[in-house]
Amino acid sequence: MEDIPLRQTSRSRVFLPQIQQAAANAGMEPKAFCDQGAQVFKKLAERAEISHDHFVRTTDSDHRDAVQYFWFLLKERGYIFPAKHEGWYSVSDETFYPESAVHLVLDAQTGRKIMASIETGSRVEWTSEFNYHFRLSALKDRLLEFYRQNPKFVVPASRMADVVKAVSSGLQDLSVSRPIERLMWGIRVPDDEKQTIYVWLDALVNYITKAGYPWTPGGESDGGWPADCQVIGKDIVRFHCIYWPAFLLALDIPPPKQVFTHAHWTLGRQKMAKSTGNVVNPFHALDRFGVDTMRYYLALDGGISDDADYENRYIIKEYKKGLHGGLGNLTSRIMRGKRWDVRRAVESAGRPDQHKVDELALAQRSRIQGASGIVKSLMNELDVGGALRVIMSRIYQTNKYINDSAPWDLAMSDDPADKAQLDRVIYLSVEAVRVCGILLQPFMPGKMAQLMEILGVEPGRRTFEHAKFGADTSYGTPKVDLGKGTEGVLFPPLVSDI
């Protein structure tokens, strides 16, 4: 909504032991196997109307060159050295864990005791191998100083505290390569064809690949680095909030300005996992409920600190309450009203007789006036769900304002004062819809474009600057046929409640 330059990248990391094994099981070369999988994610992004400037794959040639150059500089500065490594290794997490980060658990499937990561629950096995290490321990003080200077580097604050605590307790040097006997599928270590670069060092560098890395002198910021915000799941905080800034600081490259970490979606209060079949088909969900409804629900109920549980009945509940019964119903009540003229009400906003407002009108106007500022503040704090709830509260309150003001009764009166009051009620109601509709555009772009057409808002007046009380008095005449019954309704009734 604001005129701010934006560059957005999505990525797929493919140099994983699991990919190598899965490709072998499928009788395919790893690259061909990954090409097949990448198409599914591209189709999903297109179906969900998610745009990006770059869809980065770690098989891209420019990424490979960037990773090898990054490695070369780390080695030149003395941060990479060869050594024998022993420790608890998780294939699924692609990382070694220290003794303090694993424990003995009972495997529910086999009934046997196994060692597993405390953080992720993934199985680990004791592994001994020769590889290259990164001097992570040498970056402890620089990391802590960086966190001190950037106390909101990790959002939410609870995870920022976890990161600082983990680094303060001490860091072990990090294994950053694997023997080709263990991982052949990947980018080779420069000058050592027997070693493959560690998947996380490889994958993390792709954040700067599309920002133009390696940069020419003086052009470090031309591609948009450092990133304003990186968005990750809570299970990979250590890699993005400790390892990634450490790699960058080692080369005097500024880390991203902020890392937004979110919780996970569960299904039936259980972790979603392809291996158990406890998953949701996103294509089916989009086909049934529509893109904007799914965007609305995921933003509204998605967990940041704590996991959120996904169920169709929750989507249906929020659709009925907020969209069909809330915004959709409010829009129809105002724009389809036969006893008043919306355009006349908007034009009347500046008349002297509209300055004599009652207590209900004062409260309604105050809610509209404060909405955009609160929403902007919450969005800047990355509280997307909180911002959405503020907007929807205005919708619910406006429905109540109409009920309490009873414009249908005012429309039956011949008293000029009642006519003025009628225009006031309709204006304060439709103005709330206009402002909220503009603020809802990032959440439901398709439906809000339809709403703007219903209200008659000009395309050039749909920006954040216009999401203020009284910022636009040119609307009120629909640009589309409002239809009858469910025809032309913004959010029609659902076909099924199951």
Side-chain angles (χ1 to χ4, degrees):
M1 292 185 296
E2 293 189 273
D3 188 19
I4 299 174
L6 173 68
R7 176 175 294 189
Q8 181 172 317
T9 62
S10 300
R11 70 186 183 99
S12 66
R13 56 188 181 92
V14 297
F15 293 135
L16 312 174
Q18 306 97 300
I19 295 291
Q20 180 175 298
Q21 185 60 51
N25 294 341
M28 299 175 67
E29 289 296 319
K31 176 66 163 60
F33 184 79
C34 292
D35 289 345
Q36 193 178 74
Q39 287 305 312
V40 175
F41 286 100
K42 287 183 177 180
K43 288 179 180 177
L44 179 58
E46 182 180 351
R47 178 68 184 87
E49 298 176 14
I50 299 172
S51 61
H52 45 251
D53 296 282
H54 305 287
F55 184 87
V56 188
R57 298 180 61 189
T58 51
T59 52
D60 295 342
S61 59
D62 60 345
H63 172 69
R64 181 194 63 235
D65 295 342
V67 169
Q68 291 189 321
Y69 183 72
F70 195 91
W71 176 285
F72 172 77
L73 291 183
L74 287 175
K75 189 175 181 181
E76 282 289 297
R77 293 195 177 196
Y79 283 103
I80 288 181
F81 63 96
K84 181 180 179 180
H85 189 85
E86 290 185 326
W88 294 103
Y89 182 72
S90 166
V91 174
S92 60
D93 296 341
E94 307 107 33
T95 191
F96 279 95
Y97 286 102
E99 192 75 38
S100 60
V102 299
H103 61 168
L104 193 65
V105 298
L106 189 67
D107 187 338
Q109 293 184 330
T110 65
R112 296 179 179 178
K113 291 182 178 180
I114 63 169
M115 294 300 290
S117 161
I118 296 173
E119 181 181 358
T120 66
S122 301
R123 181 171 184 160
V124 297
E125 295 180 350
W126 185 260
T127 302
S128 177
E129 62 186 34
F130 172 86
N131 51 34
Y132 290 92
H133 287 62
F134 172 73
R135 298 186 191 279
L136 183 63
S137 59
L139 275 298
K140 175 184 173 180
D141 291 341
R142 286 191 68 182
L143 280 170
L144 291 175
E145 178 62 18
F146 172 74
Y147 300 148
R148 188 188 67 78
Q149 293 179 2
N150 301 274
K152 293 186 178 181
F153 173 60
V154 182
V155 177
S158 58
R159 293 200 184 102
M160 179 79 248
D162 291 341
V163 166
V164 172
K165 181 180 179 181
V167 175
S168 298
S169 64
L171 296 172
Q172 295 183 347
D173 291 338
L174 181 66
S175 172
V176 288
S177 74
R178 297 288 179 270
I180 58 171
E181 295 84 11
R182 180 178 293 277
L183 182 61
M184 182 174 291
W185 168 238
I187 299 174
R188 293 289 180 269
V189 168
D191 301 325
D192 191 345
E193 286 294 312
K194 294 182 179 180
Q195 292 279 326
T196 302
I197 294 176
Y198 171 55
V199 62
W200 275 107
L201 175 56
D202 157 24
L204 289 166
V205 171
N206 76 23
Y207 288 121
I208 56 177
T209 300
K210 292 306 178 183
Y213 185 84
W215 297 296
T216 57
E220 292 83 359
S221 62
D222 292 348
W225 194 262
D228 290 294
C229 183
Q230 291 187 229
V231 182
I232 64 166
K234 67 176 184 178
D235 55 327
I236 50 177
V237 166
R238 184 157 50 96
F239 306 100
H240 285 79
C241 304
I242 298 178
Y243 298 169
W244 180 220
F247 293 152
L248 293 170
L249 290 172
L251 297 185
D252 297 319
I253 298 173
K257 296 176 184 177
Q258 202 163 43
V259 180
F260 177 56
T261 70
H262 58 78
H264 293 161
W265 283 96
T266 59
L267 184 61
R269 302 294 176 188
Q270 299 297 316
K271 182 180 180 180
M272 289 195 193
K274 189 176 180 181
S275 59
T276 62
N278 193 48
V279 293
V280 174
N281 186 318
F283 291 99
H284 291 172
L286 290 166
D287 289 342
R288 178 179 179 184
F289 296 110
V291 173
D292 281 1
T293 297
M294 289 304 300
R295 290 170 64 118
Y296 173 83
Y297 167 68
L298 294 174
L300 187 69
D301 276 8
I304 304 304
S305 296
D306 301 311
D307 293 344
D309 200 47
Y310 179 101
E311 277 196 36
N312 284 343
R313 64 187 177 96
Y314 296 150
I315 303 173
I316 293 168
K317 174 188 173 185
E318 296 301 342
Y319 182 89
K320 286 183 171 182
K321 176 186 176 184
L323 302 183
H324 174 65
L327 180 56
N329 177 53
L330 177 61
T331 302
S332 292
R333 294 177 79 182
I334 297 169
M335 298 305 296
R336 286 184 167 187
K338 302 297 184 183
R339 299 178 181 178
W340 49 78
D341 184 332
V342 175
R343 178 61 196 144
R344 187 191 71 197
V346 173
E347 289 177 326
S348 74
R351 288 201 322 246
D353 60 357
Q354 293 300 307
H355 297 164
K356 301 175 182 178
V357 294
D358 55 72
E359 189 173 324
L360 286 176
L362 281 172
Q364 174 67 1
R365 187 165 67 183
S366 177
R367 284 190 288 266
I368 303 171
Q369 289 172 329
S372 63
I374 297 172
V375 169
K376 182 177 183 178
S377 176
L378 289 169
M379 292 293 276
N380 286 340
E381 293 172 8
L382 305 179
D383 187 357
V384 176
L388 182 53
R389 283 186 284 274
V390 166
I391 299 169
M392 293 310 297
S393 72
R394 272 37 181 193
I395 297 298
Y396 302 138
Q397 290 164 337
T398 300
N399 260 320
K400 185 177 185 302
Y401 170 67
I402 289 181
N403 288 340
D404 293 342
S405 301
W408 42 86
D409 290 339
L410 295 170
M412 301 296 289
S413 172
D414 293 326
D415 188 334
D418 286 341
K419 293 296 184 184
Q421 172 71 351
L422 173 63
D423 285 343
R424 186 182 307 126
V425 171
I426 297 304
Y427 171 66
L428 289 174
S429 300
V430 75
E431 180 70 349
V433 174
R434 183 189 69 83
V435 170
C436 289
I438 292 174
L439 296 175
L440 284 170
Q441 287 178 116
F443 301 94
M444 299 181 286
K447 286 293 184 179
M448 291 309 99
Q450 182 184 349
L451 175 60
M452 294 296 106
E453 293 292 296
I454 290 173
L455 298 179
V457 178
E458 293 295 331
R461 295 175 178 270
R462 302 175 186 181
T463 68
F464 185 79
E465 284 302 309
H466 291 91
K468 298 174 182 176
F469 181 79
D472 182 10
T473 57
S474 66
Y475 73 101
T477 303
K479 295 178 176 291
V480 293
D481 184 1
L482 300 182
K484 296 180 180 179
T486 59
E487 180 188 351
V489 170
L490 192 60
F491 294 102
L494 292 172
V495 176
S496 171
D497 287 350
I498 301 175

